[in-house]
């Protein structure tokens, strides 16, 4: 696959280091200078507002919160002044509602979303379309597939720390996959396929130790598959079909002992997927790569299906008796 020029230019912009930083340690933050952070349309911050600003600065960054054109600023002012629930700064629901409000603003919820029932309403965030919670009110699933979400996936998504399923497939999301996604330690299913993501798969993806399914197909992802992928011992499905990922398939793939299905076809992989990469993968029953033709892009003796995205997108099953794909 070739990358459109506008994505190459956009990548250079969106990968510039930002101000989004995690809180390494607690520090007392003077919020007096932020009394009018939301502008003249709102009254100066009350004590509750100052506490929320102090809570969010280490998580979202000062610049993002105070810049009036950002999704973070919009969510901050909504949570402080407009949200009917008026949740306290130390309340878990404040962080959940803030993170979801950032997502809403960053992906044009007002203008574009197909469904947005109860979003930014007085109702619990657990009652918002696509959001599901456990019995304690912790957001565990966010399923917004085919919902015409347009924009960037905000870094603040990581604040949904209890999320187990993130399904945003088949939208109009662009930009890079945020590094902070690796902090979502409880994530089991990550579906970002059929969007416009580009850039490299962040190495932090390997920190998702509970991940069972990783679907990234149908994007513009490039670079190499990070070796940290080998840390995903619970991963069962790895689908990278139809991207621009190159280099060799890392040997660390052989550590994915739970893997059942892997799709590397329609990419720019090269080299060989040989025995030492798959010999320990006893559960693997589907392995697809661009190993078809007289000059295959990748050699794969153990693939179950071979494709060739240069000459023909058609894929063919490899017969069980074949020991080597020619």
């Amino acid at each position: 696959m070739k990358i459109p020029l506008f994505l190459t230019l956009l990548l250079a912009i969106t990968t510039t280091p930002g101000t989004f930083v995690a809180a390494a340690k607690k520090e007392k933050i003077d919020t007096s200078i932020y009394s009018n952070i939301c502008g003249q349309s709102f009254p100066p911050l009350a004590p509750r507002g100052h506490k929320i600003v102090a809570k969010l600065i280490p998580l979202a960054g000062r610049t993002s919160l105070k810049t009036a054109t950002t999704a973070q600023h919009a969510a901050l002012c909504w949570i402080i002044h407009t949200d009917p629930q008026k949740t306290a700064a130390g309340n878990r629901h404040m962080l959940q509602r803030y993170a979801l409000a950032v997502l809403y603003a960053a992906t044009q919820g007002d203008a574009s979303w197909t469904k947005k029932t109860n979003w930014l309403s007085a109702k619990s965030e657990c009652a918002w379309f696509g959001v599901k919670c456990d019995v304690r009110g912790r957001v565990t699933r966010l399923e917004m597939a085919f919902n015409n979400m347009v924009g960037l996936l905000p870094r603040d998504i990581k604040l949904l720390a209890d999320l187990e399923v993130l399904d945003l497939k088949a939208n109009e999301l662009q930009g890079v996959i945020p590094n902070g996604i690796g902090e979502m330690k409880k994530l089991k299913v990550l579906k970002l396929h059929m969007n416009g993501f580009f850039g490299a798969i962040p190495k932090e993806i390997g920190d998702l130790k509970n991940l069972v399914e990783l679907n990234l197909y149908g994007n513009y992802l490039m670079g190499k598959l990070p070796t940290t992928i080998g840390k995903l011992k619970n991963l069962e499905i790895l689908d990278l079909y139809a991207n621009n990922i190159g280099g060799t398939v890392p040997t660390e793939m052989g550590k994915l002992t739970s893997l059942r299905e892997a799709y590397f076809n329609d990419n720019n992989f090269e080299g060989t997927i040989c025995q030492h990469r798959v010999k320990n993968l006893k559960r693997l029953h589907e392995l697809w790569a661009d190993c078809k033709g007289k000059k295959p892009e990748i050699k794969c003796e153990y693939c179950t299906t071979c494709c060739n995205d240069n000459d023909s997108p058609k894929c063919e099953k490899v017969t069980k008796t074949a020991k080597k794909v020619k």
Side-chain angles (χ1 to χ4, degrees):
M1 294 176 65
K2 292 186 178 180
I3 307 169
L5 178 59
F6 83 93
L7 287 181
T8 304
L9 297 174
L10 188 56
L11 175 62
I13 297 172
T14 57
T15 53
T16 302
T19 58
F20 189 86
V21 292
K25 59 181 179 179
K26 288 186 177 181
E27 60 176 305
K28 190 172 182 179
I29 299 173
D30 180 12
T31 62
S32 59
I33 61 174
Y34 301 112
S35 292
N36 294 301
I37 193 172
C38 294
Q40 300 303 314
S41 299
F42 297 98
L45 297 186
R48 169 180 165 272
H50 282 282
K51 289 179 181 179
I52 290 176
V53 171
K55 177 77 173 180
L56 291 177
I57 281 176
L59 300 171
R62 295 174 187 266
T63 301
S64 294
L65 290 172
K66 70 180 183 181
T67 303
T69 55
T70 66
Q72 288 79 12
H73 182 270
L76 171 70
C77 295
W78 175 78
I79 205 82
I80 292 175
H81 294 293
T82 309
D83 183 7
Q85 288 220 354
K86 301 296 180 186
T87 50
N91 191 312
R92 178 182 66 245
H93 293 284
M94 188 280 291
L95 277 183
Q96 291 186 162
R97 292 173 78 84
Y98 165 79
L100 292 169
V102 173
L103 178 67
Y104 187 83
T107 58
Q108 301 184 31
D110 270 337
S112 296
W113 286 15
T114 304
K115 296 181 180 179
K116 50 193 170 188
T117 306
N118 294 331
W119 274 75
L120 306 193
S121 72
K123 292 189 176 183
S124 163
E125 63 272 22
C126 301
W128 296 359
F129 170 77
V131 180
K132 295 181 181 177
C133 301
D134 62 14
V135 293
R136 298 176 63 184
R138 298 176 298 191
V139 176
T140 57
R141 301 176 72 96
L142 181 58
E143 297 168 297
M144 306 288 289
F146 297 94
N147 203 43
N148 203 36
M149 303 174 78
V150 180
L152 306 178
L153 179 61
R155 296 162 292 186
D156 310 71
I157 195 74
K158 73 176 187 178
L159 298 180
L160 298 175
D162 296 296
L163 207 63
E164 296 178 4
V165 175
L166 178 58
D167 184 357
L168 304 179
K169 66 175 176 282
N171 281 290
E172 297 294 332
L173 298 174
Q174 297 182 358
V176 299
I177 299 173
N179 295 342
I181 206 162
E183 297 180 35
M184 304 173 75
K185 305 297 186 183
K186 297 183 180 180
L187 207 59
K188 295 179 180 178
V189 176
L190 179 56
K191 296 182 177 182
L192 300 179
H193 49 290
M194 297 169 63
N195 277 288
F197 289 107
F198 51 88
I201 298 173
K203 65 180 186 301
E204 290 82 1
I205 206 85
D207 295 330
L208 302 177
K209 302 296 180 61
N210 292 305
L211 200 64
V212 174
E213 183 174 347
L214 178 58
N215 273 302
L216 300 176
Y217 73 80
N219 283 287
Y220 298 98
L221 296 170
M222 60 188 87
K224 296 181 178 181
L225 183 61
T227 58
T228 53
I229 200 80
K231 297 162 63 177
L232 303 178
K233 300 299 175 58
N234 292 305
L235 192 66
E236 296 182 7
I237 298 175
L238 173 61
D239 197 342
L240 305 177
Y241 163 66
N243 279 285
N244 298 291
I245 305 168
T248 59
V249 175
T251 57
E252 285 78 7
M253 175 186 167
K255 299 178 181 179
L256 304 178
T257 53
S258 297
L259 196 63
R260 294 189 293 109
E261 301 175 21
Y263 303 91
F264 299 113
N265 52 308
D266 200 1
N267 275 285
N268 299 318
F269 286 111
E270 57 187 15
T272 303
I273 301 178
C274 50
Q275 184 179 10
H276 69 277
R277 283 180 172 85
V278 298
K279 66 180 180 180
N280 294 324
L281 309 184
K282 307 300 183 183
R283 302 183 63 193
L284 187 65
H285 63 85
E286 289 290 344
L287 178 57
W288 294 42
D290 294 322
C291 48
K292 178 185 172 186
K294 294 181 179 180
K295 294 183 178 181
E297 295 178 36
I298 190 168
K299 295 180 180 179
C300 183
E301 299 181 18
Y302 299 91
C303 281
T304 59
T305 300
C306 281
C307 309
N308 187 332
D309 66 335
N310 285 333
D311 300 327
S312 170
K314 186 177 180 180
C315 300
E316 294 180 359
K317 275 282 188 183
V318 177
T319 59
K320 293 183 179 180
T321 57
K323 293 183 178 181
K324 188 173 184 178
V325 177
K326 297 183 179 180

